[in-house]
Amino acid sequence: MRHRKTPFIFGFLVVPVALYILLVIWPYLQTFGYSLTDWSGASSEMNFIGLDNYTKLFQDSAFLGALQHNLLLLIVLPLATILLALFFAFMLNVGGKSGTGGVQGVRGSAFYKVVFFFPQVLSVAILSVLFQGVYRTDKGGLLNGVLIALGIVDEQHPWDFASNPTFGLWCIMGVIVWSGVGFYLVLFSAAMQSIPKDIYEAAMLDGAKRGTTFFKITLPLLWESIQTAWVYLAIAAMDAFALVSTMTPGAYYGGGPDHHSEIMATLLMRNFITFGKAGYACAMGVVIFFITLVLSVVSLRVTRREKIEF
Amino acid sequence: MGSATGYNRRDLFKRAAAITVLAAGGTSLLAACAGGSGSSDNKSGASPTLGGDSKNPFGVKASDALDVVIFKGGYGDDYAKVFEDAYKKAYAGANVSHLGTQEISGKLQPRFNAGSPPDVFDNSGAQAMKADVLVSADQLTDLTVLLDAPYLDDPSKKIRDVLLPGTIEQGTINGKMYSLNYVYTVFGLWYSAKLFKDKGWAVPKTWDEFITLCGTIKAAGIAPFAHQGKYPYYANYIIFSLIAKQGGQELVKKINACDASAWDDPAVLAGVTAFNKIMEGDFLLPGTNGMTHTESQTAWCQGKAAFIPSGSWLENEMLDSTPADFDMAFLPVPSLPGDKLAATALWAGAGEPFMVPSKAKNKAGGLEFLRMMLTKDGSSKFVATANSLTVLKDGVNADVQLKPGTKSSAVAVKAAGDVTFSFSFQDLQTAFDAEVENATNELVNKRISPAEWVARGKAATAKKV
C-alpha cells in the first residue's frame, strides 16, 4: 500500500506548498536580500551595503523605543485579554449559583456571550473610527463628554487620551483588549464545555468552592487553549499597526506624540513609504520576523505540559 | 498520546494553526518589502530638447499614446479630462488613457520599479510618492524645457514668464525643476468675516494686535485659535510664516536646505516665541491639540473658534460644513516688529505637483500636456470647479464667479506682489519635517519651551537627504 499512498499525499501537497513558497517564503527571502541594500523603494537600482542597516537600526533611538513599546504590548495584551476572557468564560459556563445541583453559567449567559463577541465582528477600520469618537479630545468625545458632565474633567482642559505621551499607548491597548476578549471568551467557552460536568460535580460533592474548581479543574484542562491564545495574542502584539497609525497623532502613520506610541510597524512604514529608506525598513521587517519567530517557539515550548485525554 | 508517530491529531492541528498565524502576521509586514525586480538597463533617456516649430516645441507625435494618472482628491479629476480632450484635439488620433485614483503610491510604485511609468502624473494626496525619493532615484524629467517653451495664449512669452512667483522654486530639487505645481495655494489664518463684523472686531495687522485680539475674543466666550493638532504641520504654517517674515528670504532658503546654521538666526527664536504667546495666553480651543483636521475645522465653521491655520484649499474642503453667510476670509500671518519682509508678505506656494517620469515612453506628450494646462481658459475652468487659484499669472477669466475665501486669497496674492515665500521642506525633506512636526506638537502641549523647539529643529537638520 505504501508505494501508492505516497504519490497520493504528494499530489495533494504540491500545489499548496508551491503557493506557499512563491507567496510567503520567496518574499521573505527577498526581504532578507533587500535589507542588505540601500534600496529607496522607488527604483530598481540599489547598492549592496552589507550589514550597515542593522548597525544603524540598533543605534536608532526611535527604533529602540518602538521595540520597547512592542515588548510592553507583548506582555500586557495577552495577559489582560486572557485573564478577562477566562474570567468571563468561567462566569458564563460554570460560575452560576452552586448548590442547586448541576453546573451552569450565570443568568442570561447566552445573551452575554453574544454581547461579548460582538466587538470581534467589527473591522479594525470601524474600531478606529469608533474609538476616535470615544477618545475625542473635546467635549464632543464620548469619554470627555461624560467626564465633563460629571464634573470630573474641566471643560477648558479636557483629557487628551490617545494624544497623551504617557497614556496614549495604553488607550490603544484598551481598544485591542476590548475587541479581542470576545473571541477568546468563545474559544475558552468551547473548551470549557468539553470538560465533563461530572468532574465539577465530583469536586463540589467533595466541598470544593468556585475558586478551587477554577484553579484545580478548569485552568489545567484549558491549558492547551490558553497556550494557543497566547501565541495568537503575542503575534497580534507585534502588529497593532492599523490602530496606532490612525489613532495616535504624528506625521505619516502616527506613533506620536514625539514617538511615545511608536511601534516597529509604524516606524517601518514611515521609513519604507515616506522617507524612501526601503532597505532600512526591510531590515526592521527582518528583525520583527525573528522576534515573532523566537516568541512563537519559546511560548510553545515553555507552556508545554502533560495532556489529559478525556 | 500513544499514536505511532508521536503526534495526535489535536497536536498537529495546533501546530499548523500556530505556523499559519505566524506566517500571516509576518507577511503583513514583510510583503510590503517585496518589490522591484524590473530591469535596470532602462536608463533615463535623453531629455527632450526644444526643437522644431513653436507650435509643437517638444516634437509630439500624434501616433504616440499618452498615459495620464491624476490624483482624484479634493479637486476631483474631471478638470484633467478637459485638458485631455484639448490634447486629443491638438494631436488628432492620439490615444489618451486616463486614471483617476487616490492611491498614487499603490498604483505607481510598482510601475516605477518595473520601468514603465505613465507619461505625466499628478503626485498628490496622502499616498503621493515622495518627490525627493523619486529624484534621488533618477526617475523624473527636468522640466526646464517646459519653462523655456512658448506660452500657448501668447507665443511671444515663455512659460517661465507667466507663472506666479514661487512656482519654479517649489518644484526645484537640487537646482533643477522636477514638478509643475499647478494649484496656487496661500497659507495663513482663516476667519469668518461675518463673525468679526457682528462682534466689531478689527482684523489685526501686527502679531501684537493679534494677541491682544485673542484676549478680547476669549473674553467674549469664543476660543481664539484652533488648529489641526493631530497633524502638527498646520501649526507650522504660522510658526514658519512668522520666522520667514522676521528673517527674510535668505533664511527661508537656508531652512529649506536643512542648513543647521539657519536655526541660530535670532529670527527663528523670535518667530516661535511670538507663536508661543498663544499657548501662554491659553488661547487654544480646548482639545484642539488632539483633533484631526476635520474635527477642528468643523468646530471652527460652527463658530467655536475664531482663527484657524490652513492653506486655501480650506474653502473647497469645508463647503458642506460652512454656513451660507459665513463669509470666509483669509489673513496673511500678521507681522512682528523688525520684520525683514513687508507686512503683506505671505507664504504662497504651488501645490498639486505634476511630474513627467524620466522613463516615460511619451515624454514629449507629457510635457505638452502640462503646457496645455497653462492657458487662461484651462486655468479658468479649474478655478471655477475647484475653488482654488492656479499658478498661471492673471489666470482667471473675468466671467468666473469666485467664492468669498478664494476672492479674499486672490486679494492677498495681489497685495503681496512678488514678496512671497514658501517652505518646500514639508514636501521635500520629509524626515526633517517629521522631526519638526514632533517638536511643534510638544510646543503646543507646553511640554517644551520655544528655545527647546529651536534646538530640536537644529538637531533635525541632520536628517537631510
Side-chain angles (χ1 to χ4, degrees):
Chain A
M1 282 306 277
R2 186 161 273 272
H3 66 285
R4 297 182 65 182
K5 203 165 146 193
T6 313
F8 178 72
I9 293 173
F10 184 76
F12 268 103
L13 280 180
V14 66
V15 173
V17 168
L19 280 176
Y20 189 77
I21 288 173
L22 181 73
L23 298 176
V24 179
I25 305 292
W26 176 236
Y28 273 30
L29 292 176
Q30 277 190 311
T31 306
F32 288 118
Y34 287 134
S35 73
L36 303 175
T37 69
D38 62 354
W39 185 37
S40 70
S43 94
S44 49
E45 281 155 48
M46 61 193 90
N47 304 307
F48 181 78
I49 54 167
L51 292 174
D52 279 13
N53 283 330
Y54 293 92
T55 328
K56 256 193 279 170
L57 200 56
F58 288 100
Q59 290 163 356
D60 184 344
S61 62
F63 179 76
L64 296 177
L67 191 61
Q68 281 178 15
H69 292 147
N70 272 114
L71 292 179
L72 181 70
L73 288 177
L74 196 64
I75 295 164
V76 174
L77 282 186
L79 211 59
T81 313
I82 291 176
L83 285 181
L84 276 173
L86 265 181
F87 173 71
F88 288 136
F90 184 73
M91 293 309 283
L92 292 185
N93 289 293
V94 287
K97 260 195 210 159
S98 55
T100 50
V103 179
Q104 59 188 29
V106 294
R107 268 173 57 166
S109 59
F111 171 72
Y112 287 129
K113 240 180 248 181
V114 174
V115 170
F116 283 132
F117 191 73
F118 193 70
Q120 185 65 32
V121 180
L122 303 177
S123 78
V124 179
I126 296 175
L127 270 185
S128 164
V129 173
L130 190 69
F131 273 88
Q132 284 183 50
V134 172
Y135 290 146
R136 197 179 146 139
T137 52
D138 68 352
K139 66 179 173 183
L142 182 71
L143 284 175
N144 266 321
V146 170
L147 291 171
I148 288 170
L150 291 175
I152 297 170
V153 168
D154 172 15
E155 189 180 334
Q156 292 303 309
H157 300 96
W159 284 356
D160 49 5
F161 295 104
S163 306
N164 187 290
T166 318
F167 303 112
L169 198 58
W170 291 93
C171 288
I172 304 295
M173 287 194 254
V175 179
I176 299 175
V177 171
W178 182 83
S179 70
V181 162
F183 176 78
Y184 296 98
L185 164 82
V186 170
L187 183 77
F188 295 152
S189 286
M192 275 182 197
Q193 274 159 9
S194 71
I195 300 174
K197 292 231 161 115
D198 26 329
I199 301 184
Y200 284 106
E201 281 159 8
M204 277 176 182
L205 285 177
D206 291 343
K209 292 251 160 40
R210 228 178 291 183
T212 322
T213 54
F214 177 76
F215 285 107
K216 301 274 173 170
I217 299 173
T218 316
L219 202 56
L221 292 178
L222 279 185
W223 196 252
E224 279 185 48
S225 302
I226 294 173
Q227 192 185 341
T228 311
W230 195 280
V231 175
Y232 272 95
L233 281 162
I235 290 165
M238 295 307 290
D239 188 357
F241 171 75
L243 289 176
V244 173
S245 66
T246 52
M247 294 183 61
T248 59
Y252 323 112
Y253 309 104
D258 205 17
H259 304 300
H260 282 290
S261 62
E262 197 82 82
I263 52 171
M264 289 190 286
T266 51
L267 202 63
L268 186 157
M269 279 298 272
R270 198 176 308 126
N271 277 284
F272 192 95
I273 303 274
T274 313
F275 298 164
K277 294 185 191 163
Y280 191 53
C282 285
M284 287 185 201
V286 170
V287 172
I288 297 174
F289 168 77
F290 277 113
I291 295 175
T292 318
L293 190 71
V294 168
L295 277 174
S296 311
V297 173
V298 166
S299 54
L300 282 173
R301 294 263 156 184
V302 167
T303 54
R304 180 179 287 175
R305 296 248 178 125
E306 285 274 322
K307 279 179 213 79
I308 300 163
E309 301 266 352
F310 42 76
Chain B
M1 301 303 240
S3 93
T5 54
Y7 292 107
N8 62 21
R9 257 169 61 85
R10 188 185 295 211
D11 224 334
L12 205 63
F13 277 131
K14 200 176 63 197
R15 266 170 220 192
I19 289 167
T20 315
V21 173
L22 171 70
T27 323
S28 64
L29 294 168
L30 287 167
C33 300
S37 51
S39 67
S40 56
D41 47 293
N42 187 6
K43 293 271 185 210
S44 349
S47 276
T49 45
L50 282 176
D53 53 303
S54 64
K55 280 203 173 147
N56 186 1
F58 310 119
V60 176
K61 290 188 203 110
S63 55
D64 289 344
L66 184 73
D67 186 348
V68 185
V69 176
I70 299 292
F71 171 66
K72 193 175 182 175
Y75 306 122
D77 65 341
D78 286 340
Y79 71 90
K81 289 177 185 156
V82 175
F83 301 133
E84 285 160 15
D85 289 341
Y87 184 90
K88 276 187 223 163
K89 210 181 258 174
Y91 300 97
N95 194 359
V96 180
S97 70
H98 171 97
L99 172 69
T101 178
Q102 297 211 349
E103 304 163 45
I104 295 293
S105 266
K107 298 271 193 250
L108 295 187
Q109 190 155 5
R111 295 187 58 184
F112 272 106
N113 276 319
S116 62
D119 300 317
V120 59
F121 71 108
D122 168 16
N123 189 24
S124 275
Q127 299 182 48
M129 301 202 57
K130 289 294 157 187
D132 45 351
V133 177
L134 285 174
V135 168
S136 53
D138 194 23
Q139 289 280 15
L140 297 179
T141 304
D142 176 5
L143 297 181
T144 311
V145 278
L146 175 71
L147 296 177
D148 291 328
Y151 172 44
L152 273 167
D153 287 348
D154 175 4
S156 68
K157 288 182 182 162
K158 286 179 178 175
I159 293 282
R160 75 164 73 238
D161 304 326
V162 294
L163 296 177
L164 281 169
T167 309
I168 297 174
E169 290 78 358
Q170 185 69 26
T172 299
I173 303 173
N174 301 334
K176 283 182 184 167
M177 176 167 158
Y178 290 102
S179 65
L180 171 72
N181 292 270
Y182 186 61
V183 182
Y184 200 68
T185 311
V186 292
F187 301 84
L189 293 160
W190 296 80
Y191 62 98
S192 158
K194 177 181 178 283
L195 178 71
F196 274 54
K197 210 166 129 195
D198 288 353
K199 300 277 183 183
W201 296 330
V203 177
K205 291 217 163 49
T206 66
W207 188 259
D208 288 339
E209 283 174 28
F210 172 80
I211 293 296
T212 315
L213 177 63
C214 282
T216 316
I217 295 171
K218 195 177 178 185
I222 295 175
F225 188 82
H227 75 116
Q228 301 80 338
K230 202 173 165 191
Y231 311 110
Y233 61 87
Y234 290 87
N236 279 347
Y237 295 148
I238 308 302
I239 301 178
F240 282 92
S241 292
L242 287 163
I243 291 173
K245 286 176 131 175
Q246 179 76 187
Q249 301 283 13
E250 279 309 306
L251 182 62
V252 175
K253 269 187 204 156
K254 279 165 78 179
I255 291 175
N256 279 335
C258 286
D259 180 344
S261 72
W263 294 79
D264 297 329
D265 192 311
V268 175
L269 183 61
V272 70
T273 306
F275 177 77
N276 199 45
K277 284 185 183 163
I278 296 176
M279 268 57 73
E280 284 168 7
D282 209 4
F283 293 147
L284 291 179
L285 171 73
T288 197
N289 284 340
M291 284 161 113
T292 64
H293 56 301
T294 318
E295 289 166 354
S296 55
Q297 287 165 192
T298 306
W300 170 75
C301 281
Q302 291 164 345
K304 288 179 187 157
F307 289 107
I308 196 161
S310 181
S312 44
W313 60 79
L314 180 69
E315 183 164 47
N316 205 48
E317 186 179 18
M318 300 310 289
L319 272 185
D320 294 339
S321 316
T322 314
D325 59 350
F326 192 74
D327 203 4
M328 199 179 286
F330 171 74
L331 174 70
V333 174
S335 58
L336 290 173
D339 268 1
K340 282 195 182 148
L341 300 184
T344 53
L346 55 89
W347 179 343
E352 212 70 10
F354 280 75
M355 302 172 176
V356 178
S358 58
K359 289 167 192 163
K361 292 190 182 59
N362 187 5
K363 216 187 274 185
L367 289 166
E368 182 66 10
F369 183 81
L370 295 183
R371 195 166 75 106
M372 288 183 152
M373 288 169 64
L374 295 166
T375 60
K376 195 158 179 173
D377 273 348
S379 158
S380 297
K381 283 201 183 94
F382 180 83
V383 173
T385 50
N387 294 310
S388 291
L389 306 171
T390 73
V391 292
L392 188 67
K393 250 183 212 163
D394 195 22
V396 191
N397 284 333
D399 57 338
V400 177
Q401 279 286 323
L402 297 177
K403 289 212 180 299
T406 313
K407 201 185 277 173
S408 101
S409 47
V411 170
V413 169
K414 201 154 206 179
D418 278 350
V419 193
T420 66
F421 53 87
S422 171
F423 285 95
S424 58
F425 71 81
Q426 289 192 328
D427 300 317
L428 304 182
Q429 294 287 351
T430 43
F432 165 72
D433 176 53
E435 290 294 314
V436 176
E437 284 189 43
N438 281 343
T440 299
N441 192 26
E442 295 298 282
L443 182 78
V444 294
N445 282 295
K446 300 189 197 175
R447 290 194 283 263
I448 61 171
S449 69
E452 284 167 299
W453 184 88
V454 175
R456 288 187 54 158
K458 188 174 180 182
T461 55
K463 303 263 177 183
K464 179 185 194 313
V465 285

